[in-house]
Amino acid sequence: MAEHPAQFDDVLPEALRFTAPAPLVDIGANLTHESFARDLPAVLGRARAANVTTLILTGTDREHAEQAVAMCREHGGDGLSLHATAGVHPHDASRWDGELAGAMAALQQLPEVVAVGECGLDFNRNFSTPAEQERAFEAQLEIAAACGKPLFIHERDAGRRMREMLRAWRDDIGDAVVHCFTAERDTLHGYLDLDLHIGLTGWLCDERRGHHLRELVGDIPLARLMVETDCPYLLPRNLPAKLKGRRHEPALLPWIVRDIAHWRGESEAALAAGTTATARRFFRLPGELQPPRRAPYHEEN
């Protein structure tokens, strides 16, 4: 018998139960992670209570993308909108072959899937070789160009090569977001020059490594900015109470929004409303108008 969600109400201490001033979209929630298997209904209930009303479930390979789609079908509704992405993470790029390409293209035809990804380049760990990563990413750029859906991009220590590849494809693909952005000023402005969107996480809330982002968040136009937990990873380190197990979850997104708003010098309500409007346009969520056709990209000399 499934355990009742109320049995997990004590996962979040009272001090962490914070309701956002406007509905939020968490654009990167890894709810297919095994750590959510035992209490997913409670996790979703806490998200609703925090006014995190839309979750984009990240599909990092075929298995997790299919799980995300099934989760959308089973748990969507009752005040919570669930959608999925489908892609192959650069860590798994060595597995890319014709069969996987066909499966990814087929997943993009499902109404639950709203973006191609998580895909991209990670030259930090190189679990797959750079050549394998570029091959898989190029193939997924082709899928995005064919299906017309936006891209959900992972990049770490590969900003220069990422910009080169995206520049070559910019007139063929639509919107794209670099999720969990952590890089430096030049990389950020290079992405903005390519008309990309930026996803920010609790990395900003980490006193060990997030300082430079605090100086950059004001450079991101609100129409290009989205917010995410990347849960269960990247739990904010500045929360006002300890969290048992240190598993991040969507209900904590309002704390990230509060920090971003502080460093941008704007109200939490304005940031919440603005990032939600941006996310709804970007992912073309139900009830949203289709985004205007983007003008062709022309590199400045």
Side-chain angles (χ1 to χ4, degrees):
M1 179 181 296
E3 294 177 276
H4 193 279
Q7 293 179 314
F8 299 99
D9 285 347
D10 62 350
V11 168
L12 287 189
E14 185 68 32
L16 298 185
R17 300 178 193 176
F18 172 33
T19 300
L24 293 176
V25 179
D26 185 347
I27 71 161
N30 297 285
L31 294 189
T32 62
H33 190 273
E34 60 185 8
S35 65
F36 294 110
R38 71 183 183 99
D39 65 338
L40 180 62
V43 169
L44 297 177
R46 288 191 292 271
R48 281 192 297 268
N51 210 12
V52 182
T53 59
T54 302
L55 305 178
I56 311 297
L57 311 184
T58 310
T60 55
D61 56 27
R62 180 178 182 177
E63 177 185 4
H64 286 92
E66 290 173 347
Q67 290 175 8
V69 168
M71 196 173 288
C72 291
R73 293 171 178 172
E74 181 178 356
H75 295 284
D78 192 24
L80 196 63
S81 179
L82 301 183
H83 309 273
T85 73
V88 174
H89 193 284
H91 290 345
D92 296 317
S94 61
R95 298 167 53 192
W96 190 269
D97 59 18
E99 180 183 357
L100 187 53
M104 287 293 116
L107 279 164
Q108 293 302 326
Q109 303 306 309
L110 301 178
E112 294 83 4
V113 176
V114 294
V116 177
E118 181 176 357
C119 59
L121 303 174
D122 190 315
F123 293 170
N124 178 268
R125 295 182 179 179
N126 284 322
F127 289 149
S128 294
T129 68
E132 290 169 332
Q133 293 182 45
E134 291 183 20
R135 174 173 169 265
F137 184 42
E138 189 98 22
Q140 291 175 92
L141 287 167
E142 185 174 354
I143 289 173
C147 74
K149 291 185 178 179
L151 276 157
F152 188 79
I153 295 173
H154 172 105
E155 180 270 305
R156 192 170 184 190
D157 293 351
R160 181 183 297 275
R161 184 59 180 139
M162 174 66 72
R163 295 196 300 276
E164 290 173 353
M165 295 184 72
L166 289 174
R167 191 175 295 117
W169 279 87
R170 199 63 192 95
D171 287 342
D172 299 304
I173 60 174
D175 286 331
V177 59
V178 180
H179 105 99
C180 188
F181 179 83
T182 60
E184 305 296 332
R185 183 181 301 274
D186 289 348
T187 300
L188 172 64
H189 284 271
Y191 287 150
L192 293 176
D193 288 345
L194 283 169
D195 197 25
L196 304 187
H197 291 66
I198 303 297
L200 293 180
T201 65
W203 192 286
L204 185 84
C205 311
D206 190 333
E207 80 286 353
R208 302 167 303 174
R209 58 190 182 184
H211 290 276
H212 74 287
L213 286 179
R214 299 169 184 176
E215 302 173 0
L216 297 181
V217 293
D219 294 351
I220 307 170
L222 192 54
R224 305 269 199 91
L225 177 61
M226 294 183 277
V227 293
E228 54 181 315
T229 56
D230 200 30
C231 64
Y233 314 110
L234 297 181
L235 178 71
R237 286 176 54 88
N238 61 351
L239 295 175
K242 297 282 187 181
L243 186 63
K244 184 178 180 180
R246 298 196 58 79
R247 182 192 67 180
H248 200 4
E249 64 174 78
L252 297 173
L253 185 60
W255 294 101
I256 298 172
V257 169
R258 171 170 284 185
D259 233 40
I260 296 171
H262 169 76
W263 294 109
R264 284 174 63 89
E266 61 190 348
S267 72
E268 295 170 45
L271 183 65
T275 57
T276 291
T278 298
R280 292 188 63 82
R281 286 193 304 269
F282 180 90
F283 291 107
R284 307 172 195 179
L285 301 183
E288 288 298 311
L289 296 175
Q290 292 294 309
R293 184 174 179 83
R294 186 184 56 78
Y297 170 74
H298 297 290
E299 184 175 10
E300 295 182 1
N301 294 323

